[in-house]
Structures are given as C-alpha cells and as structure tokens.
Amino acid sequence: MRVVCRVSETGSVSKAAAALGVSQPSLTAQLHRIEEAIGGPLFDRGSYGVTPTPLGRHVLRRARAMLVDMDDLLGSSRRYTDGPRTLRLGSLRTVMFGTWMARMEDLMPDREFTTQVDVSSATLTELLAADVLDVVMIGRCDDAHAPPCPPGVREQTMVHPEPYAVALPVGHRLAGRTDISLTDLAEDIWICPPAGKEDGDLASLRDACERLGFTPQFRYYNLDSIEIEQLIGAGRGISLCAPTMRDIPSSVILPLVGHHISWRRVLRFRPESASQEDIDLIHKAFTDTYRTTIAENALHRPWWDSHPDTHPTVIDP
C-alpha cells in the first residue's frame, strides 16, 4: 500500500524508488507483483511519468484509508511496550544529513535511530501526525503558507531567519553581480522545487513577486534535485536555494536581497515519543552541523563577508 501511494505521489517509479530507498528494478518488480495480486494495472506509463488507472484510483482511496488505520494501530500499541525504543527521525533532503546523523549518534550513543528522508515538509508533517515518525526536521516559509503544526505536536526553531539565495546559470546576464533582487528576475524562468507535496514556498515566492508588480514564470515540474541542478547548469532557468546549498556545476549562487522571503528550520516532535533532552541533543547536533556547513560554503562565495544581512540566525537549544 505504501508503494502504490508513493508511486502516485511522485508520479514516477524511479522517484518513488529513491524515496523508499530501493532500486528502481526492485520497485518495478514489486509493483508488478502488486498489480497481479490486485488483478490489473494500477498505473498508465507514459513519457511524462505514471498516472493512476480507474482501478488504481480505487485502490489508492482504500489504501490511504487503511494506512491511516494501520499507523494508528502501530502508534497506539507502543504505549504498552516497556523501556526505551527506537527514535523514528524524518528529515528534509539536505547535504547536511550524513554529518548531522553522525553528530547525533555521537551525542546519543545509547539511542537507536531509524531515518526517513523526503523532499516535502508537508509529507513529513503528515507522517509525524500519523505517528509514523517521532521527530522531523523541516524547513518552512512564513506562517501564511507553511504546513500547519498538527495538534499535540510541538515545534522548536533552530534557524530563523534563513534568507534565500538564487542559483543562476554561469552564463546568466546577472551572474557577475554580487547580489540580486526579485525585481531583477521578473523575466526569468523559475525551476520548481523537487517533486512532492506543496510546502508553500512557491506560493510565498509568487506572493512576494506579485507585491513587486510581476508574476513569476514557473516551468519544469516533478523533477528531482539532480535534474534541477542540470537544468540550471544548462541555462534553462533559475531556482531558489538555501545558503547551505552546495556548489552546482556551471552555475553561480547569489544572495537574494531587498525582499521578505525567508525560511525557518525547525524540529517538530511528538512529546510522548521524544523527551525534551532528546530534542535538545538532536537540535545541538543540527546547529553544530549547520554552522560548519555554512562556514565551508562561505569559502566559495566571495559575497559572504560583505553581505551580513544574508547570514542566518542560528539558535542554540
């Protein structure tokens, strides 16, 4: 059921395989077995990905409802178990993930972890609300567009504000600048974030641009991070990015100034599943990793020292 739902959400077997941490051939074979058991094809395959068949739509409706019940059963059963249990951690996809996990394990040597990485803060928040995860690290835009915090879930801010930067092709007309504003980019094509549930960042960008008198042009949907980087490098468009973004071949990253778009990096957690001590250690591991990553990236960005307004505020636990 989770396989079928993830294929539908991503619109692609390859993207679903990456999200589930399995190979594409393995997931394709599994999907064929599922379709044989169900009795017919669940998806139509085309050059632009997959779309559910009428049978697939029926299965998806039932699968989503059944998964909610299953997750509730698993979550409610845990209160009858004794002793410390594995902490289920979710995270946005980030270049910092491996280093953050290593620091966390050093700070919490007696704790076991399972991890799940996704491109969508909204999806991670839903998994937290369904008691599939105990703690998630997400990035969210301003409150008007951010995925809401579910009832009973707490939020702890680690970085705010985190200003955006813009990734431009190296041949872009503005690539030689030391900074850039949204009004400079009124005629450009924007590449959408990686495929996944809408987190509100595109809506936030659209609102900011429309307040300045233009509507941004979006193109290239349902891409993964590598495909986005390739399109930027090929001169096909531009994209918002965090200051922790690694260097992209054939592109430059410039600070976005004179605007009101920023992110907040937060931990959301279920207090009955993770103690405040656990959360503070996870928080410390993240902010230590964040500072190190920023310092390493600053060496490759000559504008960093002269643009203190682009420096994010890092909050210790």
Side-chain angles (χ1 to χ4, degrees):
M1 288 187 288
R2 293 195 194 281
V3 164
V4 173
C5 289
R6 187 49 65 97
V7 170
S8 175
E9 289 165 3
T10 61
S12 161
V13 173
S14 62
K15 292 183 176 67
L20 293 166
V22 299
S23 69
Q24 181 175 341
S26 174
L27 188 65
T28 298
Q30 186 176 2
L31 185 57
H32 285 321
R33 290 194 296 270
I34 293 169
E35 290 178 323
E36 288 177 5
I38 294 293
L42 301 180
F43 298 97
D44 289 323
R45 282 77 166 172
S47 57
Y48 295 101
V50 300
T51 55
T53 63
L55 174 61
R57 289 194 292 272
H58 169 73
V59 170
L60 282 163
R61 285 193 296 269
R62 296 293 300 274
R64 287 168 179 145
M66 293 170 71
L67 284 171
V68 170
D69 288 341
M70 178 59 73
D71 292 337
D72 180 67
L73 172 62
L74 292 173
S76 61
S77 299
R78 290 190 180 95
R79 67 174 63 101
Y80 298 99
T81 62
D82 297 321
R85 61 181 181 83
T86 300
L87 198 62
R88 300 165 298 168
L89 177 71
S91 173
L92 279 184
R93 196 172 300 280
T94 169
V95 297
M96 299 178 286
F97 184 75
T99 305
W100 176 35
M101 281 300 303
R103 288 180 188 269
M104 201 183 315
E105 291 170 351
D106 288 342
L107 289 173
M108 307 169 70
D110 299 326
R111 212 59 210 266
E112 295 289 332
F113 294 93
T114 61
T115 59
Q116 180 165 334
V117 176
D118 203 282
V119 297
S120 168
S121 293
T123 297
L124 290 168
T125 296
E126 289 177 0
L127 293 173
L128 182 66
D131 197 22
V132 178
L133 297 171
D134 301 316
V135 185
V136 297
M137 187 284 288
I138 67 169
R140 66 173 182 81
C141 52
D142 59 82
D143 291 335
H145 301 292
C149 196
V153 169
R154 295 181 186 172
E155 181 174 287
Q156 185 160 308
T157 299
M158 299 184 292
V159 181
H160 180 262
E162 182 181 39
Y164 279 106
V166 179
L168 306 167
V170 71
H172 192 278
R173 68 188 186 282
L174 303 175
R177 298 268 293 270
T178 57
D179 56 44
I180 204 163
S181 68
L182 282 178
T183 51
D184 296 325
L185 304 170
E187 304 302 321
D188 282 271
I189 299 296
W190 293 85
I191 301 171
C192 291
K197 286 202 171 185
E198 173 59 56
D199 284 339
D201 45 358
L202 287 185
S204 182
L205 173 63
R206 185 180 293 108
D207 282 357
C209 292
E210 290 179 348
R211 287 195 298 270
L212 294 170
F214 71 95
T215 299
Q217 304 175 66
F218 295 112
R219 192 180 293 173
Y220 307 115
Y221 295 84
N222 295 326
L223 306 176
D224 60 28
S225 299
I226 298 300
E227 290 166 338
I228 291 172
E229 292 178 7
Q230 290 172 343
L231 282 170
I232 296 170
R236 308 310 300 171
I238 64 175
S239 179
L240 289 176
C241 62
T244 52
M245 182 74 178
R246 65 188 178 190
D247 286 341
I248 303 171
S250 302
S251 70
V252 296
I253 295 176
L254 297 178
L256 187 59
V257 298
H259 66 94
H260 300 286
I261 306 178
S262 65
W263 256 29
R264 182 188 297 266
R265 300 262 186 169
V266 304
L267 292 176
R268 286 181 172 174
F269 61 96
R270 305 173 61 86
E272 70 273 18
S273 303
S275 69
Q276 188 62 53
E277 181 182 4
D278 286 337
I279 295 301
D280 287 345
L281 289 172
I282 294 170
H283 184 148
K284 175 175 171 49
F286 181 85
T287 50
D288 287 350
T289 303
Y290 190 92
R291 286 189 175 100
T292 301
T293 305
I294 287 287
E296 290 172 349
N297 285 342
L299 297 175
H300 306 289
R301 298 186 183 151
W303 47 262
W304 180 258
D305 290 337
S306 59
H307 288 75
D309 56 317
T310 66
H311 296 189
T313 301
V314 182
I315 304 166
D316 290 314

